[in-house]
Amino acid sequence: LDRFKQVNDTLGHQTGDMLLQDVAARLRQQVRANDTVARLGGDEFTVIISELGGMETAQDIAHRVASNICKHLALPFQIGTHEIVVGSSVGVAYYPQHGQTYSELVKHADLAMYRAKSDGGGRYVTFTQDMSEQLHHRVLLESALRDALRRNELQLVYHPILNADSGSMVGVEVLLRWHGHDRKVSPVEFVPILEELGLGHELARWVLANACKELMAMPFWHDLSFWFSINISPQVLNRNHIGWIEDIMAEYGMPPERLVVEVTEDHLRYNPELAINTLSAIRGLGIRIAMDDFGSGYSSLGRLRDFPIDLIKIDRSFVNGLPHQQTDLAIIVTIITLARELGLELLAEGVETEQQLQQLMENGCSTIQGFVYARPMPASDYVMWVSDLNPPSALIN
Ligand code: C2E
Ligand code: CA
Ligand code: CA
């Protein structure tokens, strides 16, 4: 059943129990007398249909029954004075091609059912072999990732940000890396998984703490005045308590003005008020906020005014279009004007070529991050890279 938990939570278990009985009755109406309807637990039912040897194939029967189940369970239930709408997700598996044993068959129907749910519910999905391969892959990845975080096997890399006019380094973005067992796994893939595992917060703490530790140990850290930025996903920041940031900064003696927290437009999407409060509190600590991937997500320019940010990072999808795409250039010029009008700092990321760099500078954006200068590097390479740079960075007065 879709949304059964909400019924239990809001209307109580007694109502939930009565609903389950009515669901069972409706399910029975959709099958023949010698088919089986069972409730294995919670809000999950199993239907076993046998082929009777008529004109219909097993597939025809299963599709008909599954779609009827979805249709009938989507109709409202009247429980006491409540009219309840739940709906259902159905997974279909066939004997013998999807499983030789009962448990294999049910397991595969289950996987198909989860796919139906994750596709939005209210539908049926037939099992395919790649679902079980995907699940297998995912389970392996999850356990390896848990271990990686606990055993300190993640790594940080440093991506310098330069002032193109002076050639000096003004900042550095800290990015995560993970070398899985057989391949490098992108943070785009593994960060969301850690978050789904409930480890997003632990990850964010790990990143901030290790960035502080590594940076403070760099020979030039105390002489140069560049800032560093970390990425924090919405799930972690929307908790509204940010004491952990303060604690870690204090533990390492990291001055707050040297940290920039990068957020995306997604942070502001679901609960803008909470996001404003959280970001304001972070700024209250003396930490600056950057709007990452600006222009690529959900933007409300009007709202931008209300958000406590200091810096805008032009999304690299626009920079990508330079120097030839006129519309990308037009968008970039607009963002540059906007930042200037709002008194915000600005940088362009994903700058790969000399031409892109020139075009950005000509249009008034001189703070640059991208492969044109360097690729993200592990701490030791970064230290060497900085010591070779001339001039290195703004000196602390
Ligand atoms: P992002 O925050 O937009 O990070 C910038 C990404 O653009 C990085 O990829 C960086 O290597 C890449 N990049 C920078 N300049 C160039 C360029 O000139 N050309 C090209 N092709 N790429 C460039 P990366 O490190 O793979 O990170 C991807 C995303 O993963 C990040 O996007 C961020 O959303 C996420 N991520 C990385 N580290 C963390 C982290 O510590 N915490 C969280 N929550 N997310 C992270
Ligand atoms: Ca970023
Ligand atoms: Ca970005």
Side-chain angles (χ1 to χ4, degrees), residues 113-363:
M113 185 271 284
Y114 279 114
R115 176 62 57 85
K117 254 198 207 307
S118 67
D119 287 349
R123 69 191 68 203
Y124 68 94
V125 168
T126 300
F127 172 76
T128 55
Q129 204 55 48
D130 64 306
M131 287 177 195
S132 100
E133 276 147 26
Q134 275 167 22
L135 182 80
H136 183 65
H137 174 74
R138 170 77 189 219
V139 168
L140 288 181
L141 198 62
E142 281 182 6
S143 76
L145 262 175
R146 269 182 212 275
D147 289 349
L149 183 57
R150 300 264 146 86
R151 294 189 197 142
N152 248 346
E153 287 167 3
L154 297 174
Q155 201 193 11
L156 295 178
V157 289
Y158 295 81
H159 200 204
I161 296 158
L162 276 76
N163 179 308
D165 298 322
S166 67
S168 70
M169 184 179 63
V170 296
V172 64
E173 181 175 11
V174 180
L175 295 157
L176 268 168
R177 290 291 176 268
W178 180 48
H179 297 262
H181 293 306
D182 49 353
R183 65 181 171 114
K184 289 182 188 173
V185 184
S186 160
V188 178
E189 188 180 351
F190 75 76
V191 171
I193 296 179
L194 282 169
E195 271 154 15
E196 273 173 45
L197 291 173
L199 296 171
H201 200 245
E202 205 177 312
L203 180 72
R205 298 167 69 101
W206 187 91
V207 169
L208 180 57
N210 281 276
C212 288
K213 192 164 85 187
E214 292 184 353
L215 285 164
M216 302 274 282
M218 293 181 186
F220 44 74
W221 174 256
H222 295 280
D223 302 327
L224 305 180
S225 66
F226 65 96
W227 45 264
F228 74 107
S229 66
I230 57 166
N231 295 279
I232 299 190
S233 29
Q235 291 84 336
V236 172
L237 221 47
N238 263 350
R239 304 171 133 229
N240 204 16
H241 52 83
I242 49 154
W244 63 275
I245 299 181
E246 211 177 353
D247 292 346
I248 293 174
M249 301 287 280
E251 186 186 337
Y252 289 93
M254 179 61 78
E257 62 275 12
R258 295 198 73 171
L259 174 63
V260 171
V261 168
E262 297 195 7
V263 299
T264 61
E265 291 160 79
D266 275 347
H267 280 81
L268 313 175
R269 184 163 188 169
Y270 302 105
N271 192 341
E273 222 161 292
L274 183 59
I276 291 178
N277 288 338
T278 312
L279 298 184
S280 303
I282 293 176
R283 274 178 109 205
L285 299 173
I287 296 166
R288 277 167 300 158
I289 308 288
M291 180 65 74
D292 201 358
D293 306 337
F294 185 77
S296 70
Y298 157 91
S299 327
S300 158
L301 293 183
R303 269 214 185 126
L304 190 64
R305 184 188 47 197
D306 306 326
F307 287 119
I309 56 174
D310 303 273
L311 193 149
I312 288 178
K313 295 183 79 167
I314 302 175
D315 188 55
R316 76 169 191 266
S317 61
F318 303 121
V319 176
N320 227 341
L322 301 184
H324 302 298
Q325 292 292 332
Q326 285 308 307
T327 44
D328 287 333
L329 179 62
I331 290 169
I332 288 176
V333 169
T334 307
I335 297 176
I336 293 172
T337 311
L338 183 78
R340 196 175 289 143
E341 293 297 316
L342 294 176
L344 299 171
E345 289 173 63
L346 181 73
L347 78 84
E349 70 175 350
V351 184
E352 295 188 349
T353 67
E354 228 21 84
Q355 277 173 309
Q356 292 172 339
L357 180 63
Q358 286 308 324
Q359 208 169 20
L360 285 159
M361 288 172 75
E362 278 160 21
N363 285 285

Side-chain angles (χ1 to χ4, degrees), residues 93-106 108 127:
Y94 298 102
Y95 175 86
Q97 58 268 47
H98 295 154
Q100 299 283 342
T101 62
Y102 165 78
S103 61
E104 207 180 356
L105 208 52
V106 169
H108 289 164
F127 172 76

